[in-house]
Amino acid sequence: MAEANKEETRQPTVESLTAENVRLQGELDVAQAVIAGQAEQLANVETAQKQGDVVVVSYEKQQYRVLAKKFSIKGEEIKAEELGKNKAALKFLVESKSGLLVPIVKA
């Protein structure tokens, strides 16, 4: 009887630890996504410094130099420094092979 009682008290502990593990894994996933975004921004800034006074954006691990300071896409005015945050506009420019973006080749 004592053995059965010990197993009953242990079960909620295992369940609570499993739930805590799931919660922590979710937090880890969010943190890793934030770190990846910040690493991309840092790489863009470092490349922009090497290129001079230009704006650099990344799309699918490829960096691009933005040639215009401001432009319009489908009637929406977009500033070069905001393009990195506007993933839909960036995707449109890359996929349409726009002349506004020049791929940066790493030396």
Side-chain angles (χ1 to χ4, degrees):
M1 175 100 180
E3 188 66 34
N5 191 18
K6 185 177 181 183
E7 186 63 32
E8 288 174 15
T9 1
R10 185 170 180 247
Q11 188 62 30
T13 304
V14 170
E15 289 172 359
S16 66
L17 289 174
T18 301
E20 179 71 4
N21 188 23
V22 169
R23 184 187 66 77
L24 290 172
Q25 185 61 46
E27 288 181 13
L28 177 62
D29 292 343
V30 169
Q32 287 175 330
V34 168
I35 290 169
Q38 290 176 338
E40 180 179 302
Q41 288 177 340
L42 179 60
N44 290 344
V45 168
E46 288 173 345
T47 301
Q49 286 178 339
K50 292 176 188 174
Q51 298 284 321
D53 187 26
V54 297
V55 174
V56 176
V57 294
S58 292
Y59 182 76
E60 294 184 356
K61 298 187 180 183
Q62 172 65 51
Q63 290 181 315
Y64 297 90
R65 185 174 61 180
V66 183
L67 296 181
K69 296 291 182 191
K70 187 174 19 173
F71 43 90
S72 179
I73 298 177
K74 298 180 182 179
E76 179 184 357
E77 186 175 283
I78 300 172
K79 294 180 181 177
E81 55 271 358
E82 297 169 355
L83 183 60
K85 295 177 185 163
N86 189 336
K87 297 298 182 186
L90 180 56
K91 179 181 179 180
F92 174 79
L93 291 173
V94 170
E95 290 180 353
S96 66
K97 298 183 185 292
S98 171
L100 290 172
L101 300 178
V102 175
I104 296 174
V105 180
K106 299 284 182 176

